[in-house]
Amino acid sequence: MSAAPVPPAVGSCGPAWRSQNGVEISCFRNKVRRKGLWFSAPVPITSIHVVTWNVASAAPPLDLGDLLQLNKDNLNLDMYVIGLQEMNCGIMSLLSDTAFEDPWSSFFMDVLSPLSFVKVSSIRMQGLLLLFFAKHQHLPFVQILSTKSTPTGLFGYWGNKGGVTICLKLYGYYVSIINCHLPPHMANNDQRLEHFDRILEMQNFEGQDIPNILEHDFILWFGDMNFRIDDFGLHFVRESIKNRCYSDLWEKDQLSIAKRHDPLLREFQEGPLLFPPTYKFDKNSNNYDTSEKKRKPAWTDRILWRLKRQPQANPPTQRLPAPHFCLSLRSYVSHMMYCISDHKPVTSTFDLELKPLASAPLITLIPEGLWTMENDMLVSYSLTPDFLSSPWDWIGLYKVGLRHINDYVSYVWVRDNQVSFSDGLSQVYFNTSNIPETEDQFLLCYYSNSLHSVVGISKPFKIQPGSLAEDPLGEAQPHL
């Protein structure tokens, strides 16, 4: 998550008014009772779509609808996790991507932001990129704890191989997401397993109040793992693929063999490999490698997951706790239609059923009155007792369809623009004079600098171009 934005221009000043006799505060208390439940309902099922793709330095194709399931009649997804390998990492490309968003990130934001998905976090290490998107209503319950790069190339000094990680809390549960690129070639299986172990060992959080990664509730690990098919010759493998007889090939898949012998690796689950091997293809075709090397096809691109070990019961005096974090695999497929790379992308869709450990946001935000373009306007918010605010916290005003957290139209520092405070309820003012007139809806988000996350979000509302309007009872109302 990016740092707080640049401070407002020196000399900006607030309105001349203040809340009087607690009128705004009491109204806010009532609104919290009526509207705060927007976030407090349980989240029985959260759907997560995972993408892994070695893009072989290619630019994004024109259409990724099938990859992102956008061609489905009912897009029932809450989050996207996207991991790419072998992005273009030439010097000029890296310099450009440092100054601007890389083409792949921009493409995914362009496609997903109109569907209410916000880029919550990202991390890149040379050709490895990991993106995490969530629908905006989930933002107050996603806390980014750590992002980490683990290079394993050139004895750990070079990032052409290795892993990138996002560690977060989702509705109070610890989740680690790892996108990796392991060493290639048939003979390097032991090296692949060593790099797998090294990436896992490097996910330490010393000095942070974060448990060991093996104590996390959910580990999602995917990428170009480069595991190959042992023993069988090229002709047998290709004939098996042609006839869709994959079961013989499963037995000689290096990752499947390693899982049978490694107790820790065995704890990582994977869906059935019911799709053709995803490597190696001639670019711009669906033909397996016809070059002189004629590499044997393999399932190099994989998606694994691991759930936290459950404590053992001590019969007959103790019962196991009821499951509160359940994961089911909805799909695990390759997408053969994409031909820009010598790899085919692989996706998984998971349904996550959980009992939220955090069911109410740390901050509840409500815009006060009818917002117009010609007045400084009020925002009221309440803090939960265990939330520690910071002078560097800020509230951003966004158009619905924001791409990422710094995609704000305007913002205020909560301390600098505070106009009242009482019993944990606060008010800040917004200067709306510089906001262009539009029919779009807006959102308010409270960003915690210490938690590096959005901890509160308002319901959508409109900013009216005209003067302040009142309801029949004479009380100004927000247009929600």
Side-chain angles (χ1 to χ4, degrees), residues 132-206:
F132 178 70
F133 290 83
K135 281 196 170 177
H136 61 71
Q137 61 262 36
H138 296 291
L139 294 184
F141 305 103
V142 177
Q143 179 187 344
I144 302 301
L145 301 175
S146 172
T147 58
K148 187 179 181 68
S149 299
T150 307
T152 59
L154 197 63
F155 306 103
Y157 292 100
W158 191 242
N160 64 323
K161 296 293 184 289
V164 288
T165 308
I166 296 174
C167 176
L168 57 95
K169 288 182 82 172
L170 177 63
Y171 286 91
Y173 295 94
Y174 287 96
V175 177
S176 280
I177 304 169
I178 304 174
N179 172 27
C180 74
H181 193 184
L182 302 182
H185 305 311
M186 176 73 72
N188 288 335
N189 190 41
D190 289 343
Q191 191 179 7
R192 279 187 281 278
L193 295 174
E194 289 173 7
H195 284 213
F196 191 98
D197 290 341
R198 190 182 310 166
I199 293 170
L200 190 63
E201 290 169 1
M202 292 299 292
Q203 306 312 308
N204 51 53
F205 307 100
E206 295 179 4

Side-chain angles (χ1 to χ4, degrees), residues 13 29 44 47 66 77 96 99 122 157 174 206 214 233 248 265 304-305 317 341 367 369 383 395 405 416 428-430:
C13 59
R29 285 196 182 100
S47 298
D66 184 70
L77 293 173
S96 174
S122 65
Y157 292 100
Y174 287 96
E206 295 179 4
L214 295 180
D248 290 337
L265 192 57
L304 312 178
W305 75 93
T317 59
S341 168
L383 299 76
I395 297 174
I405 197 58
D416 290 352
V428 297
Y429 69 88
F430 253 94

Side-chain angles (χ1 to χ4, degrees), residues 3-238:
V6 178
V10 175
S12 61
C13 59
W17 37 258
R18 295 289 186 269
S19 60
Q20 297 179 358
N21 302 322
V23 173
E24 288 90 346
I25 294 296
S26 62
C27 290
F28 176 72
R29 285 196 182 100
N30 291 333
K31 289 168 184 171
V32 170
R33 294 190 189 101
R34 295 198 306 268
K35 300 175 182 175
L37 293 177
W38 185 51
F39 293 108
S40 60
V43 183
I45 295 180
T46 299
S47 298
I48 304 173
H49 189 64
V50 183
V51 176
T52 181
W53 194 3
N54 182 321
V55 296
S57 299
L62 295 176
D63 182 9
L64 288 177
D66 184 70
L67 185 74
L68 301 175
Q69 292 198 335
L70 303 182
N71 52 1
K72 302 278 183 172
D73 293 334
N74 183 20
L75 183 65
N76 184 25
L77 293 173
D78 296 278
M79 298 170 191
Y80 281 93
V81 174
I82 301 170
L84 304 181
Q85 307 87 39
E86 287 195 23
M87 285 179 56
N88 188 349
C89 56
I91 293 177
M92 294 306 297
S93 176
L94 285 174
L95 288 174
S96 174
D97 294 349
T98 300
F100 309 99
E101 288 281 359
D102 68 87
W104 282 94
S105 295
S106 293
F107 186 92
F108 286 121
M109 285 189 286
D110 288 343
V111 171
L112 295 176
S113 61
L115 303 174
S116 298
F117 289 94
V118 181
K119 189 187 80 171
V120 181
S121 185
S122 65
I123 181 170
R124 181 173 179 182
M125 180 181 70
Q126 293 181 217
L128 277 168
L129 175 68
L130 178 57
L131 302 167
F132 178 70
F133 290 83
K135 281 196 170 177
H136 61 71
Q137 61 262 36
H138 296 291
L139 294 184
F141 305 103
V142 177
Q143 179 187 344
I144 302 301
L145 301 175
S146 172
T147 58
K148 187 179 181 68
S149 299
T150 307
T152 59
L154 197 63
F155 306 103
Y157 292 100
W158 191 242
N160 64 323
K161 296 293 184 289
V164 288
T165 308
I166 296 174
C167 176
L168 57 95
K169 288 182 82 172
L170 177 63
Y171 286 91
Y173 295 94
Y174 287 96
V175 177
S176 280
I177 304 169
I178 304 174
N179 172 27
C180 74
H181 193 184
L182 302 182
H185 305 311
M186 176 73 72
N188 288 335
N189 190 41
D190 289 343
Q191 191 179 7
R192 279 187 281 278
L193 295 174
E194 289 173 7
H195 284 213
F196 191 98
D197 290 341
R198 190 182 310 166
I199 293 170
L200 190 63
E201 290 169 1
M202 292 299 292
Q203 306 312 308
N204 51 53
F205 307 100
E206 295 179 4
Q208 298 174 276
D209 188 21
I210 304 174
N212 181 281
I213 188 171
L214 295 180
E215 293 300 314
H216 289 190
D217 299 282
F218 178 34
I219 302 174
L220 181 59
W221 194 325
F222 57 89
D224 179 3
M225 298 187 179
N226 260 318
F227 290 106
R228 307 305 169 99
I229 297 173
D230 276 335
D231 297 343
F232 296 131
L234 174 64
H235 178 74
F236 180 85
V237 171
R238 289 193 171 183

Side-chain angles (χ1 to χ4, degrees), residues 330-347:
R330 193 195 303 175
S331 70
Y332 187 34
V333 297
S334 64
H335 298 262
M336 303 297 289
M337 63 183 291
Y338 297 107
C339 301
I340 62 172
S341 168
D342 53 356
H343 291 250
K344 301 297 183 181
V346 174
T347 65

Side-chain angles (χ1 to χ4, degrees), residues 284-322:
N284 302 311
S285 81
N286 282 322
N287 300 319
Y288 285 105
D289 186 14
T290 59
S291 70
E292 291 183 4
K293 294 183 177 180
K294 287 188 171 57
R295 292 179 180 85
K296 190 163 53 172
W299 286 289
T300 57
D301 309 280
R302 314 290 277 266
I303 299 175
L304 312 178
W305 75 93
R306 177 187 182 274
L307 297 182
K308 181 180 177 181
R309 298 188 190 116
Q310 293 299 316
Q312 297 297 313
N314 222 354
T317 59
Q318 187 179 359
R319 296 178 60 188
L320 279 171

